[in-house]
Amino acid sequence: MKKAWKRILGFAILMGVLLLAACGSDNEEGNANEGEEGAADDEPIEVVTTIAQIGQPISEIGGDLVNVESLMGPSVDPHLYDPTESDISKLQGADVVLYSGLNLEANMIEPLESIGEEKPALAIADTLPEDELLTDEEGATDPHVWFDYDLWQQALDAGVEELKEYAPEYADQLEENKQEYFAKLEELGAEAEKLKDIPDDQRYLVTAHDAFSYFGRLNDIEVVGLQGISTESEAGVSDVNDTIATIVEHNVPAIFVESSVNQDTINAVIEGAADQDVDVEIGGELYSDAMGEEGTEEGTYIGMYEHNINTIYDALSGGDE
Ligand SMILES: [Zn+2]
């Protein structure tokens, strides 16, 4: 106890001397000692993410404590995205890098892994329990985990832990903000409830690429993607024909385009169905691998998800003609 007091006293004397010196040299008003000291501690953590599905929630959770930049903007396809030189320098300038992993950013694996040797860089979806992840027919893990808001919450949690570790002085605040944000995520589940009203025989979600399997699992909707879990391989004639057959068989009223994927194959399906006298509409545009413009509702993770819920609900629930 005595020792501690001595240290504090010593520190106080030292501060006094420094303060006097500061006043003496600069003759500013006396309260200059407060602000200056903490300045270095107040620096936000520079966070760089690949997709905005990570960046926007982290920015909301981090508030003033973080500066977040997502490299992939609206309508960018992460499967095909090649990092630019400016991306590389942004990665180098970051304090913490957060990306999705599970081979989503297929052309960025090398720079992301090498930046991980220099600084904290976490593939947040890689932290998820393997038995909760979906795989395709070839055994490749489906990276579109953000469509399972419970799993995505866990992945974001791992990201927040990474930030806490980097800046322990912000840990309490980050934790508090995180709890607040996660409470909002819980509400998404309640909003998705209405999808249960879609009639059984219309529970088909047809999209250009297979991004919605987690969404389908969560909401009990059959997902038909023309292209598989990556956009790397294009849809073939047989994919288009199989999809048309599904639509004709089940009388699927609407199919969906994606904001980050070319619409051609979806158009081919609509034409093919029309040739068989089946009228299928475009049910709207879904956000699959990219979110909406920054500053709009759809530019947020929650807003993007709500948009998809509403678009799917509107297109599949009504039409029973
Ligand atoms: Zn995808």
Side-chain angles (χ1 to χ4, degrees), residues 79 101-104 106 126 130 132-145 210 213-214 227-230 232-233:
H79 302 287
L102 304 178
N103 207 34
L104 176 75
D126 276 349
E130 212 171 311
E132 295 194 37
L133 299 177
L134 295 168
T135 50
D136 70 2
E137 290 125 19
E138 276 112 53
T141 304
D142 183 338
H144 305 91
V145 189
D210 221 340
S213 294
Y214 290 98
Q227 266 175 291
I229 58 172
S230 173
E232 227 153 17
S233 58

Side-chain angles (χ1 to χ4, degrees), residues 77-79 104 142-144 146 209-211 228-231 258 260-261 288-289:
D77 180 345
H79 302 287
L104 176 75
D142 183 338
H144 305 91
W146 51 91
H209 97 295
D210 221 340
I229 58 172
S230 173
T231 51
E258 298 166 58
S260 56
V261 181
S288 53
D289 291 2

